Amino acid sequence: MAFIAKLKSNLSSFLSSIFKKKVSRIGIYGPPNAGKTTLANRVVTDFTGETIGTASNVPHETRRVKKRDGVTISSNGSSITLDIVDTPGLATKIDFHDFMEMGIPEEEAKKRAKEATEGVIEAIKWMDNLDGVLLVMDATQDPYTQVNVTVVGNMEARSLPMLIVANKMDLQGSSVERIKGAFPQHTVVPISALEGNNIDLLYETIAKRFG
């Protein structure tokens, strides 16, 4: 039996070496205003000169999944080609009144709330088509939220490789240790997607984790 098990293991390794993926599809997830689209734009701009979406201080600015294929990133001798999927912000409650409080007219607020809700559903469906996830958290906020805990649990149940990106480390009150303490089982990379701080470390970690 030991011989058969070893034979199966060797065959599996052999097939993996032949059919190894050349491209990994990576989803960028997180709550609204964590900096998902800012990060997606940073990655795509650094390696293609283009952008993938529009970032805004208004929650749920990204309400549909946006995708950019074939972005090859490299750092310190490691490289990987990614299909990058920027997803709408995940939330347990989307209320059009919140948009109205930001000065958006009622009709437009209701439209945005409906689209944002549809975007959450679309983002969840995309989890079935990914090779890995970058979970973006706002490092100035308490990371132990229902959204973050649910996403982490979902990824673990799917056995999807994941990196936690502690964004907004350039802002006062940010803390990577707070995020590491909440999710000690996962690698946490502190960055500022807006300023580009520590971004090379993130690229190097992505290449090693998903390559």
Side-chain angles (χ1 to χ4, degrees), residues 6-191:
K6 184 177 181 180
L7 183 63
K8 286 182 177 179
S9 176
N10 290 341
L11 179 60
S12 177
S13 297
F14 175 68
L15 292 174
S16 295
S17 67
I18 292 177
F19 297 108
K20 186 176 182 181
K21 285 188 173 183
K22 295 182 179 179
V23 178
S24 292
R25 181 175 290 167
I26 302 300
I28 301 178
Y29 282 77
N33 282 10
K36 300 178 299 301
T37 299
T38 301
L39 175 59
N41 282 338
R42 168 66 62 180
V43 176
V44 173
T45 300
D46 280 354
F47 294 98
T48 72
E50 302 172 359
T51 59
I52 193 171
T54 302
S56 167
N57 290 328
V58 178
H60 300 287
E61 183 67 29
T62 301
R63 299 187 294 281
R64 296 300 304 268
V65 166
K66 297 185 178 180
K67 188 164 167 280
R68 177 64 162 83
D69 292 341
V71 179
T72 299
I73 69 173
S74 58
S75 180
N76 284 340
S78 299
S79 66
I80 184 174
T81 299
L82 303 176
D83 291 343
I84 296 174
V85 182
D86 182 28
T87 68
L90 299 177
T92 55
K93 177 186 175 184
I94 300 174
D95 189 334
F96 74 92
H97 292 98
D98 294 335
F99 295 120
M100 292 180 65
E101 290 178 359
M102 303 188 77
I104 298 175
E106 181 173 347
E107 185 175 347
E108 174 62 18
K110 289 180 177 178
K111 180 173 180 287
R112 288 178 73 99
K114 180 176 181 294
E115 292 174 348
T117 302
E118 294 170 348
V120 171
I121 296 170
E122 184 184 17
I124 293 172
K125 287 181 177 177
W126 262 92
M127 291 180 182
D128 293 332
N129 299 301
L130 299 174
D131 300 307
V133 167
L134 297 178
L135 176 56
V136 183
M137 298 184 188
D138 182 341
T140 69
Q141 303 294 317
D142 178 5
Y144 208 74
T145 64
Q146 185 176 358
V147 167
N148 287 338
V149 171
T150 300
V151 173
V152 169
N154 201 317
M155 299 307 166
E156 290 175 345
R158 294 168 184 263
S159 298
L160 268 177
M162 180 175 68
L163 288 178
I164 295 177
V165 180
N167 192 27
K168 305 187 183 182
M169 289 301 297
D170 56 314
L171 298 184
Q172 190 173 10
S174 63
S175 172
V176 66
E177 296 304 324
R178 193 163 46 204
I179 296 176
K180 287 181 177 178
F183 304 101
Q185 71 274 38
H186 291 288
T187 300
V188 180
V189 182
I191 69 163

